[in-house]
Amino acid sequence: MFAFLRFALAGFVILTVIYIAVSLYSRAVRRGKLGREWDEDIRIGDRDAYVEEGLRQYDRSLRRKLILGVYVVPAIVVGTIIYITNYM
């Protein structure tokens, strides 16, 4: 049981690092797209305010929530592997 808890804790730490990296990368990509969109199309008003408003919308978007799959998918895969090896 102790080995499983150690494995689970290490997995959680690794998945947290991956989640943070993917989240920061996705936010940076979105910031870049908003900046390019303003530069190419809009050019009216404050660029920083436009980008910040776009990032607020991004924070409420489905894409932001889908990044939580970094935790869900590996847990399902490990659980399935454990079930198959023990009960089938």
Side-chain angles (χ1 to χ4, degrees), residues 4-20:
F4 174 73
L5 291 176
R6 191 173 59 199
F7 172 72
L9 180 64
F12 180 74
V13 169
I14 291 168
L15 290 176
T16 300
V17 169
I18 292 170
Y19 172 78
I20 290 170

Side-chain angles (χ1 to χ4, degrees), residues 53 55-62 64-65:
E53 177 60 30
L55 288 176
R56 275 195 292 275
Q57 290 175 0
Y58 168 76
D59 287 339
R60 295 186 302 264
S61 71
L62 178 63
R64 177 90 167 150
K65 292 170 185 70

Side-chain angles (χ1 to χ4, degrees), residues 19-81:
Y19 172 78
I20 290 170
V22 169
S23 181
L24 290 175
Y25 174 75
S26 179
R27 190 170 175 87
V29 167
R30 184 67 185 150
R31 181 182 296 273
K33 285 182 181 179
L34 287 167
R36 275 192 307 278
E37 181 180 315
W38 189 88
D39 289 339
E40 294 171 358
D41 298 335
I42 298 173
R43 292 187 185 168
I44 298 173
D46 186 24
R47 181 181 194 266
D48 292 332
Y50 177 78
V51 170
E52 289 303 317
E53 177 60 30
L55 288 176
R56 275 195 292 275
Q57 290 175 0
Y58 168 76
D59 287 339
R60 295 186 302 264
S61 71
L62 178 63
R63 169 171 277 181
R64 177 90 167 150
K65 292 170 185 70
L66 285 175
I67 295 175
L68 287 172
V70 166
Y71 289 111
V72 176
V73 172
I76 290 172
V77 169
V78 168
T80 303
I81 290 171

